[in-house]
Structure formats: C-alpha cells, structure tokens
Amino acid sequence: MRRILVADDEANMRWVLERALTKAGYEVETVEDGQLALDRALAERPDLVLVDLKMPKMDGLSVLHILKERYPDLLIVMMTAHGSTTTAVEAMKAGAQDYLMKPFDIDELLITVAKAFEVESLREQVDYLKGGAQHGGWQLVGDSEEIQAVKHLAERVAPTPATVLIQGESGTGKELVAQAIHTLSPRVDGPFIRVNCAALTENLLESELFGHEKGAFTGAHARKTGRFELADSGTLFLDEIAELSFNVQAKLLRVLQERTFERVGGEKTIKVDVRIIAATNRDLLKEAQEGRFREDLYYRLNVFPISVPPLRERREDISLLTEHFLGKFRTYGGSKTLGPGVLSHLMAYTWPGNVRELENVVERMVIISQGVVIGMDSLPLFDTSSKLAKNPGSFVLPPEGVSLEEIEKSFLHQAMEQTGGNQSQAAKRLGLSRHAFLYRLEKYGIDPHWGI
C-alpha cells in the first residue's frame, strides 16, 4: 500500500485529505507543521508528501528543498493558495512533482496523486532498463574480470552467424548472455525465440520445435507453426539442451547442418535462416562421452563456447548486483539501502542458486524490512558455515572496503541465529572451542545470551 504524508496547518483540511486518500486506498499520516513533516519523512520515508506552502515552524518550500536533497526521487506535491502561481512554479523548479491550487476538489486531488505515482512507475522502469545497460546495452550486471571476459566473448561472436553453446550453473544468467548476443547481432530486428527443452515431453517438444500438420497425431486439430519457423531471420535459444531425447537430437542435428526440416506429419521441406544458441547447466562434453548426448551434435553446438561463472567465483559483483535489485524492487516500498553488516553477510554466502537466488533474497528483504534501511533482521538464515568448511577453496576475498572483522562478525551472528543462541552448537558450527567462541562474542560486543 502506498504511504502518503500530509502536512497542513488547517485541521479541517487534514481531515478531508486523510479521509479522501484513505478511501482511495492509500495509507495516510497527517502532521500540522513543516518541522513535523520533515521529521516524519526523514524517520520513515513515505511514497509521496503532500505539503502546504504556508505552515508554522517551517514553510513548504523549505521542507521541499531539504527532502529533495536527502531523497532526490521522492514524490512531493505542493499545495498553494489561489493566486500563488509564482510560488508554484518555484516549487516545480525545486523538484516538486506537481502542485494543487487551493481550493481544489477531491477528484482533482486524486487525479494529481495517481498521476504522480504513474510518472514514478514509468521513471522506475526506465531507470531499471538503464541500470541493466551499464555496459553497452548489457542486462548482465557485473564488473568482475570473469563477467568482463564473458561480455568480451559475446561481443566478438555476436556479429557472426556462429552457433553458440553457453554453459553454467542454474541462475547464472545464461539467457541474458543469449539475449545480448541477439541484440548485438545483425539479427536484432528479427525474433528472439526461447524454448525450455526440459519443460515438455518428447512428442510435445518435437511439435513445439518443428510444428505439425493437421491430423499428425491425436489432438492435432490444426496446423501448428514450430519455433524454428517463428525464429526465421532471428535467433532460437534452446535452454537446457541436455534434456533433449536422442530422437529430437537427431532432427536438431539435421537442422544445424542443412537448415531444413519437415513438420511432424508433413512432407514439405521447410528452409529457415535461424541462428542457434544453446545453453545447459551440465558438462555437455562429459554427457557426450558417457553416451547421454550425441557426440556429433555436441561438436555442432560447441562452435563457440561461453562459460558463465557462478556467483561464488565473482563475489566482487555481489554489491553491484544487490544495488541493481534494490532499484528493481523500488516499487515495493521506495528506495532502500543496506544497513551495517548486511553486505558482509551476503558476501559470506556461497550462493548455490547464484544470481537468481540473490535476486530472490533482495526481493524478500525489501518486502520484510520496515523503513528505508534494511537491517540484519530482514536477512534469511543462510547455512554457509558447512559449505565453506567442506569446500574452503570456494571462499573468495570480499571487495575492497569489506573487512575481515565484518565477515567474522557476520559469521558469529549467523551461528547464533541458526542455533537459537546455543553457544556450544554455534562454536561447533564454526569449528571453534567454546572458549574461543565466547572470546570473539565479547570482542565484537555480541550478547552471549542472544536469542535465549
């Protein structure tokens, strides 16, 4: 629910505005002077401030200037008396989203507020798209050497018609790489068609890829155009390619070799101009060597391989990705920032679900957190210690600015959280003696009876 702060020194006006806006579905708080308006907005940022120009203690323009300095994108609508057009223009120049000339009717008020939120929503969509385009139109966010290498390879292969095989764990962004290759290619004006090979049975997948003629099988009541035809002059992205049956693999091999095929139940040979990009979270060469995937198809697909690294191998991107997702989920409750210790907590985790898991965690934190700052209490309980203990080589140094002390303190907090404050169990989880564990709790000022 959108939160609106109303500041007006007239009690009757506050009552009318609160009643109208609440009835329209907004959460409303009212204050009677400018200083209170400023204090409340700074304490817990609202989604929109409706502020009167003339108020005791601090006028509306002063409130506007201070809030805009603190929150440049905060929506502020100024209310001014009839005849104060010059002041209204001044407020707009200072960053007000709109203004209302008193007296105004309720419909005008609601339209102005709705329009302000609509403009904000459009602006956020543009900001999000721009945020993902930091590097030449890329939606794959990251500045690490590993991601830069992926981008370099994709940019080199994009102008060519070469088949590309993208490999990487689930959630690493393989589809984003495929979309970027298409966008940067001469086929950008053609279609980008995605098929999840694991989502359909063999018969349905064959029909989905190549289409079928009417009466080809039970339930085929009309001709169906397949994805290869739909992708003509564009790009076909085959996700989870390792899930294809051997029968469909054989037909795909022919398309890669000849760029021709027949619909299921059809005799007419159809020729297409399609670029193939395939992706898998498996080691496809190993699958071929062990007889689970056609070796000849593997070599046809593996013309230009690209490997997308897991998030644990590019931890320096976690901060940038987190900020990116905070921007994406601004519509949930305005701009939010991370509180002390939160980033180091995120940095310490191995992220088996990779970027997709990080996105889900950030979305959850934004929803749960109260106010502008996301605190440690909004974080999920990560089971990191066992993973790192079994695979210490997976730990990568945090980026500059995140100290070893912050990481250690984060692990202490996690151990206490996950064991309900049981000191012996928490110490065991971290591979410490109870004495050493208590020493570290005291060192960082952590309550040894936390959670009890």
Side-chain angles (χ1 to χ4, degrees):
M1 182 182 292
R2 299 280 196 173
R3 294 180 56 252
I4 298 177
L5 176 64
V6 174
D8 197 299
D9 59 333
E10 297 180 25
N12 287 340
M13 178 60 73
R14 292 197 304 274
W15 182 83
V16 169
L17 293 173
E18 181 178 15
R19 184 181 181 187
L21 292 169
T22 301
K23 189 175 181 181
Y26 300 108
E27 181 182 338
V28 184
E29 180 180 2
T30 65
V31 292
E32 62 268 22
D33 63 62
Q35 185 61 57
L36 282 174
L38 184 61
D39 291 343
R40 290 303 303 141
L42 292 177
E44 189 171 355
R45 173 181 163 156
D47 296 305
L48 183 144
V49 178
L50 191 62
V51 59
D52 192 25
L53 174 63
K54 293 184 178 181
M55 291 184 296
K57 297 186 180 180
M58 185 181 293
D59 62 44
L61 275 178
S62 298
V63 175
L64 170 66
H65 283 292
I66 296 173
L67 287 180
K68 276 295 178 179
E69 184 176 347
R70 176 71 179 273
Y71 305 121
D73 56 351
L74 177 62
L75 297 176
I76 301 178
V77 175
M78 185 71 67
M79 296 182 290
T80 65
H82 182 69
S84 303
T85 306
T86 303
T87 308
V89 172
E90 183 182 352
M92 294 289 286
K93 288 181 178 179
Q97 181 68 35
D98 210 334
Y99 65 90
L100 286 164
M101 238 12 132
K102 290 182 177 180
F104 51 81
D105 58 35
I106 297 303
D107 287 340
E108 184 182 0
L109 165 72
L110 297 179
I111 289 171
T112 300
V113 170
K115 186 172 67 173
F117 283 130
E118 183 179 356
V119 170
E120 181 198 41
S121 179
L122 291 172
R123 183 180 65 204
E124 287 173 346
Q125 291 179 40
V126 172
D127 288 345
Y128 172 63
L129 292 173
K130 285 181 178 179
Q134 296 176 48
H135 304 285
W138 278 88
Q139 291 293 319
L140 190 68
V141 177
D143 284 330
S144 64
E145 290 184 9
E146 292 81 2
I147 286 300
Q148 292 300 332
V150 169
K151 293 178 179 180
H152 174 71
L153 289 172
E155 288 164 0
R156 290 294 298 271
V157 75
T160 76
T163 300
V164 179
L165 177 62
I166 305 172
Q167 298 188 86
E169 296 178 8
S170 295
T172 51
K174 297 186 293 295
E175 184 173 350
L176 295 180
V177 177
Q179 288 176 330
I181 292 171
H182 173 74
T183 301
L184 297 170
S185 77
R187 298 173 178 268
V188 61
D189 293 327
F192 178 83
I193 305 295
R194 178 187 183 277
V195 179
N196 185 338
C197 300
L200 300 168
T201 63
E202 178 182 342
N203 291 337
L204 289 175
L205 181 59
E206 188 176 356
S207 171
E208 193 71 20
L209 289 174
F210 308 110
H212 63 249
E213 297 291 349
K214 180 179 179 180
F217 51 83
T218 303
H221 302 300
R223 171 186 287 179
K224 174 182 174 64
T225 301
R227 297 299 181 93
F228 270 100
E229 287 181 81
L230 294 174
D232 192 27
S233 76
T235 302
L236 181 63
F237 176 54
L238 301 175
D239 198 10
E240 300 195 54
I241 190 77
E243 303 300 325
L244 290 179
S245 69
F246 275 93
N247 178 48
V248 178
Q249 286 180 39
K251 294 191 175 185
L252 176 59
L253 180 63
R254 178 192 168 193
V255 179
L256 287 170
Q257 291 172 332
E258 305 173 9
R259 292 298 192 268
T260 61
F261 63 93
E262 289 81 37
R263 298 189 188 99
V264 177
E267 299 179 354
K268 179 182 177 182
T269 298
I270 300 169
K271 187 173 182 64
V272 289
D273 173 23
V274 176
R275 188 205 198 131
I276 305 296
I277 301 178
T280 178
N281 58 11
R282 299 190 197 176
D283 182 340
L284 207 57
L285 176 58
K286 183 179 179 181
E287 294 289 307
Q289 291 172 339
E290 296 181 358
R292 292 187 293 272
F293 196 83
R294 289 186 61 125
E295 196 167 350
D296 50 0
L297 177 57
Y298 166 74
Y299 288 112
R300 282 286 180 179
L301 292 170
N302 197 46
V303 175
F304 196 92
I306 296 177
S307 180
V308 184
L311 188 55
R312 64 181 173 276
E313 293 180 5
R314 57 182 186 105
R315 289 177 191 268
E316 56 266 51
D317 289 333
I318 290 176
S319 176
L320 190 61
L321 284 162
T322 301
E323 289 300 320
H324 177 70
F325 293 134
L326 286 173
K328 178 179 179 179
F329 299 121
R330 281 172 54 194
T331 53
Y332 289 13
S335 297
K336 297 194 177 186
T337 58
L338 300 182
V342 176
L343 180 59
S344 60
H345 192 89
L346 298 176
M347 295 288 299
Y349 186 46
T350 52
W351 298 107
N354 293 294
V355 179
R356 186 181 297 123
E357 184 183 6
L358 176 60
E359 180 178 6
N360 293 340
V361 167
V362 174
E363 183 176 11
R364 178 185 183 277
M365 290 193 305
V366 169
I367 293 171
I368 290 178
S369 64
Q370 300 293 322
V372 177
V373 179
I374 296 174
M376 294 289 288
D377 57 342
S378 297
L379 283 165
L381 298 179
F382 292 135
D383 184 11
T384 61
S385 54
S386 59
K387 289 183 173 66
L388 291 176
K390 293 177 182 177
N391 187 18
S394 68
F395 189 86
V396 179
L397 288 176
E400 186 176 349
V402 179
S403 67
L404 180 61
E405 287 76 13
E406 288 181 290
I407 296 293
E408 187 174 29
K409 187 175 180 180
S410 174
F411 271 99
L412 293 168
H413 273 293
Q414 290 179 59
M416 291 291 277
E417 287 174 352
Q418 293 170 13
T419 60
N422 186 307
Q423 298 168 6
S424 297
Q425 290 184 18
K428 186 178 180 180
R429 292 287 295 274
L430 296 177
L432 298 171
S433 67
R434 191 166 181 272
H435 176 76
F437 182 74
L438 290 173
Y439 167 77
R440 283 171 170 79
L441 292 183
E442 183 179 358
K443 175 183 175 182
Y444 294 114
I446 300 173
D447 182 3
H449 303 294
W450 181 93
I452 299 176

